[in-house]
Amino acid sequence: MPALRLGSIAPDFEAQTTKGPIKFHEWIGDSWAILFSHPADFTPVCTTELAEVARRAPDFAKRNVKVIGLSANPLNDHDKWVDDINDYGCKFAPTNVQFPIIADPDRKISELYDMLDAQDATNVDAKGIPFTIRTVFVIDPKKIIRLTLSYPASTGRNFDEILRVIDSLQIGDKYRVTTPVNWKKGEDVIVHPSVSNEEAKTLFPDFTIHKPYLRTTPLKVE
Ligand code: BEZ
């Protein structure tokens, strides 16, 4: 099967999760989704990541994003680990993991999403079997993959950045704009190259031409 790319339809699957069985596409429904894998249950970096994802639940909900984790462990491990995540997370701020975590002990979904990387020597267990890597798939309501990330086992992901990309994608889907380096919601955006200057006068009355190919504008977002 060819690798999943931006623009691919996210493969559908059925799975057992900590919140019950799901059919992935049905579960996504009309929302955006983040599917993210981590190497294994009861591992330190993963514990900090899942606690943070739990604490950011309002940020995901505000953007109509559902979040679902995955590791190649059985459901009973996930359930025990969730207690640890909440316990540790509460040292920093109230933490209550409510998002589902997929149990993928036979690695069927990990393989479907190409989440196993046997080439990364830092991401194998004591027997040399690859863990799932730290992948992120952002999937839109049409089930199209809009972002993929692969992080090394040693490095926890930055969920501010993932939310930032979702803000950019959602704004880009709604308005004919793109977003510049280090952009954050509320800052000026770039007028899409397909918009002529004539159109821009109507669409973005306050736009500025810096170069013929680089025009920026403030954007009021509802
Ligand atoms: C961790 O989450 O801390 C971790 C998992 C697998 C390999 C290395 C680190």
Side-chain angles (χ1 to χ4, degrees):
M1 187 177 166
L4 297 175
R5 303 271 181 205
L6 303 187
S8 301
I9 295 287
D12 200 10
F13 57 81
E14 294 186 19
Q16 298 299 323
T17 81
T18 48
K19 297 290 179 187
I22 59 154
K23 293 179 177 167
F24 189 49
H25 282 195
E26 200 176 273
W27 176 83
I28 295 174
D30 294 329
S31 302
W32 288 65
I34 298 174
L35 168 64
F36 72 109
S37 60
H38 42 273
D41 293 0
F42 306 108
T43 49
V45 176
C46 304
T47 301
T48 65
E49 288 187 313
L50 271 74
E52 172 67 0
V53 172
R55 288 189 295 263
R56 303 301 291 267
D59 294 322
F60 296 119
K62 207 161 56 187
R63 293 164 173 85
N64 187 30
V65 177
K66 289 183 178 174
V67 183
I68 191 162
L70 177 150
S71 56
N73 296 83
L75 210 47
N76 60 331
D77 277 0
H78 282 357
D79 288 333
K80 284 186 213 136
W81 185 39
V82 164
D83 292 341
D84 281 5
I85 296 166
N86 289 335
D87 187 46
Y88 172 76
C90 282
K91 288 179 187 251
F92 305 95
T95 304
N96 182 6
V97 173
Q98 286 299 324
F99 61 88
I101 307 171
I102 295 167
D104 189 33
D106 56 9
R107 300 176 170 228
K108 279 201 183 120
I109 301 161
S110 314
E111 277 172 16
L112 186 63
Y113 274 78
D114 200 14
M115 291 166 167
L116 299 161
D117 185 358
Q119 322 228 9
D120 179 357
T122 69
N123 200 47
V124 292
D125 70 11
K127 293 183 193 149
I129 298 170
F131 291 120
T132 39
I133 47 178
R134 288 186 209 287
T135 63
V136 180
F137 294 86
V138 171
I139 300 163
D140 72 15
K142 292 182 182 149
K143 320 298 181 277
I144 295 171
I145 295 174
R146 303 293 298 276
L147 166 82
T148 62
L149 284 177
S150 297
Y151 263 50
S154 56
T155 309
R157 285 157 284 198
N158 183 330
F159 283 89
D160 285 330
E161 169 61 4
I162 294 165
L163 286 161
R164 190 188 77 87
V165 180
I166 291 172
D167 284 339
S168 169
L169 289 168
Q170 292 185 339
I171 278 176
D173 283 0
K174 202 161 174 194
Y175 306 95
R176 293 172 68 191
V177 299
T178 56
T179 58
V181 61
N182 296 343
W183 171 88
K184 288 198 205 74
K185 203 169 185 173
E187 295 176 357
D188 285 4
V189 298
I190 293 174
V191 178
H192 195 281
S194 68
V195 179
S196 68
N197 284 341
E198 272 314 300
E199 286 176 294
K201 280 181 203 161
T202 316
L203 292 174
F204 311 109
D206 299 324
F207 83 108
T208 304
I209 303 175
H210 304 279
K211 301 282 175 193
Y213 55 86
L214 174 48
R215 300 159 299 167
T216 58
T217 181
L219 185 69
K220 280 201 185 77
V221 181
E222 305 102 52

